[in-house]
Amino acid sequence: MRAVVQRVDGADVVVAGEVVGEIRGEGLCVLVGVTHEDTPAKAAQLARKLWSLRMLNDEKSCSDTGAPLLVVSQFTLYGDARKGRRPTWNAAAPGEVAEPLVDEVVRCLRDLGAHVETGRFGASMRVSLTNDGPFTVLLEM
């Protein structure tokens, strides 16, 4: 699993003109990509890392402050543009594999006590955010 994690001061996801997920104030916007070898155990590991990652103001984590997370699936995190001009998506898991694993990340976060908003898997989404810092990290499980 791969995740791009951004500290934000608010973020939302819009699908077909409808807000489907939104966080206000300090929190994390997390773009999650799934590859073929990923498992529910890796999803749980990612959730624990996101919950405890100290990248909020004053080196605090979401678990410290109760800050919300916006989790959005993004298969393009496994795009490969090293050759040619068009990325390939061979490393990205197909939807029937990826969707349950992204859902597992969300479920595990909620089990830890997190307030989690989401995008809509497979939809054309517009993600808006205010990057705070900017502070962005890449996680790989």
Side-chain angles (χ1 to χ4, degrees):
M1 291 194 123
R2 187 174 283 169
V4 173
V5 185
Q6 296 179 295
R7 181 175 71 193
V8 298
D9 184 22
D12 64 52
V13 179
V14 174
V15 175
E18 173 193 0
V19 175
V20 297
E22 178 180 33
I23 61 173
R24 295 180 187 219
E26 185 178 50
L28 298 179
C29 181
V30 184
L31 308 175
V32 178
V34 178
T35 193
H36 303 282
E37 304 81 32
D38 288 335
T39 63
K42 283 189 180 182
Q45 181 184 11
L46 177 59
R48 288 189 303 273
K49 177 64 99 174
L50 292 169
W51 184 233
S52 62
L53 192 62
R54 299 175 79 176
M55 61 183 282
L56 299 177
N57 287 320
D58 298 323
E59 295 186 10
K60 303 239 182 205
S61 67
C62 289
S63 65
D64 293 330
T65 66
L69 299 95
L70 175 64
V71 176
V72 180
S73 64
Q74 189 169 2
F75 79 93
T76 61
L77 291 180
Y78 279 100
D80 184 352
R82 290 179 288 182
K83 294 182 182 178
R85 297 180 300 148
R86 182 177 297 144
T88 63
W89 315 109
N90 298 335
E96 61 271 10
V97 172
E99 185 174 13
L101 291 173
V102 173
D103 289 346
E104 181 69 4
V105 171
V106 171
R107 185 191 68 73
C108 289
L109 279 165
R110 288 179 175 151
D111 286 352
L112 290 167
H115 172 82
V116 183
E117 296 284 323
T118 65
R120 187 171 296 153
F121 191 91
S124 178
M125 296 178 272
R126 294 192 177 270
V127 179
S128 299
L129 59 95
T130 302
N131 196 322
D132 183 11
F135 194 153
T136 303
V137 297
L138 175 65
L139 298 177
E140 299 223 32
M141 298 291 125

